[in-house]
Amino acid sequence: MEDYLQILQTCQLFEGIDNGDIPGMLDCLGAIVRKAGKNSEIMAEGIPADYVGILLSGSAQIEKQDYYGNRSIVNKIAPGELFAESFACAGVKSLPVQVIANEDCEYMLINCQRITVGCSNACCFHSRLIFNLLGIVARRNLAFHQKQEITSHKTTREKLMAYLLTQAKAANSSTFIIPFDRQELADYLSVERSAMSTELGKLKKDGVLDFHRSRFTIL
């Protein structure tokens, strides 16, 4: 676990906890580390929603597929970020999404009950972990509602501008980098890629924005 201490220090789950205490905490929590290859499943839809995941290296994304196999990207995950925590805390029986590795990944799994239920050793860090976990879940729910607000717009152009203006505001700059490529952005917005590309071209031609790959500038 010592090999992952640097990235775990950036994880919000361990905020307010001394770095030297983290290895002992992980032993108490029964944390396990696993690896996943590019495009493989880190968590499959339908498995028991028992674990909180922490990405240690690489990148991944949370996806949901409908009956016809159409993909919708729920969120992207960077090293140090949690995944599946909302479902584990909610006590749902099975995971309604899947977590896919965008590249070779390492990740940590912690049974949610080991966090929320105090151990027999009465470790003092459990209350802090619960406090941190609640904050993470609350922020994740806010991000989910923000996505719903963006995708509730009727046209592809409106969805695009709502998303890009949200990203500009978050970056506090008119120039910013989004975490998606074109196909991923289309899947996130639940629109056709060709229609989205057409709207991007029109917005650029109309002088509303400029872009190169994932870098955008609101004009």
Side-chain angles (χ1 to χ4, degrees):
M1 296 298 178
E2 296 284 348
D3 296 338
Y4 309 107
L5 186 58
Q6 185 173 1
I7 191 63
L8 290 173
Q9 289 171 1
T10 68
C11 180
Q12 294 178 341
L13 184 63
F14 303 109
E15 185 177 348
I17 295 173
D18 290 337
N19 296 335
D21 293 335
I22 294 179
M25 291 171 53
L26 296 176
D27 288 338
C28 181
L29 293 169
I32 54 177
V33 174
R34 292 180 177 172
K35 296 182 179 181
K38 182 178 180 180
N39 296 326
S40 64
E41 287 183 331
I42 294 176
M43 286 184 174
E45 182 178 352
I47 66 170
D50 297 332
Y51 288 90
V52 172
I54 304 173
L55 193 65
L56 300 173
S57 66
S59 63
Q61 60 193 30
I62 302 171
E63 301 177 358
K64 188 172 181 61
Q65 290 192 0
D66 64 18
Y67 178 81
Y68 297 101
N70 297 313
R71 181 183 72 162
S72 175
I73 295 178
V74 179
N75 194 24
K76 295 200 79 170
I77 313 163
E81 293 183 340
L82 270 66
F83 55 90
E85 74 290 337
S86 296
F87 306 110
C89 290
V92 299
K93 291 184 178 180
S94 60
L95 199 66
V97 297
Q98 59 184 358
V99 184
I100 303 296
N102 290 335
E103 55 187 302
D104 291 346
C105 290
E106 293 177 292
Y107 59 98
M108 178 176 291
L109 295 176
I110 302 173
N111 191 295
C112 189
Q113 285 197 343
R114 298 290 292 267
I115 298 175
T116 57
V117 179
C119 67
S120 57
N121 297 325
C123 298
C124 60
F125 62 78
H126 273 102
S127 59
R128 182 68 196 190
L129 284 180
I130 293 171
F131 176 81
N132 290 345
L133 185 59
L134 286 173
I136 294 168
V137 170
R139 287 188 290 273
R140 191 79 75 189
N141 286 338
L142 289 174
F144 176 73
H145 287 301
Q146 183 180 70
K147 182 189 175 182
Q148 282 190 314
E149 183 178 344
I150 290 170
T151 56
S152 67
H153 290 280
K154 292 183 178 181
T155 69
T156 298
R157 186 186 184 99
E158 289 172 344
K159 291 179 181 181
L160 261 174
M161 287 307 301
Y163 173 75
L164 293 174
L165 290 172
T166 297
Q167 292 296 300
K169 185 175 181 179
N172 195 28
S173 172
S174 59
T175 299
F176 51 91
I177 296 175
I178 66 171
F180 300 122
D181 61 26
R182 291 294 183 269
Q183 185 60 59
E184 291 170 345
L185 179 58
D187 290 339
Y188 178 84
L189 297 175
S190 299
V191 298
E192 290 291 335
R193 176 176 176 174
S194 58
M196 185 191 72
S197 296
T198 298
E199 288 302 328
L200 282 172
K202 290 179 179 178
L203 288 165
K204 188 172 186 178
K205 183 179 179 180
D206 293 344
V208 177
L209 56 83
D210 193 14
F211 56 86
H212 177 68
R213 295 185 178 180
S214 295
R215 180 182 292 274
F216 286 79
T217 299
I218 304 294
L219 303 176

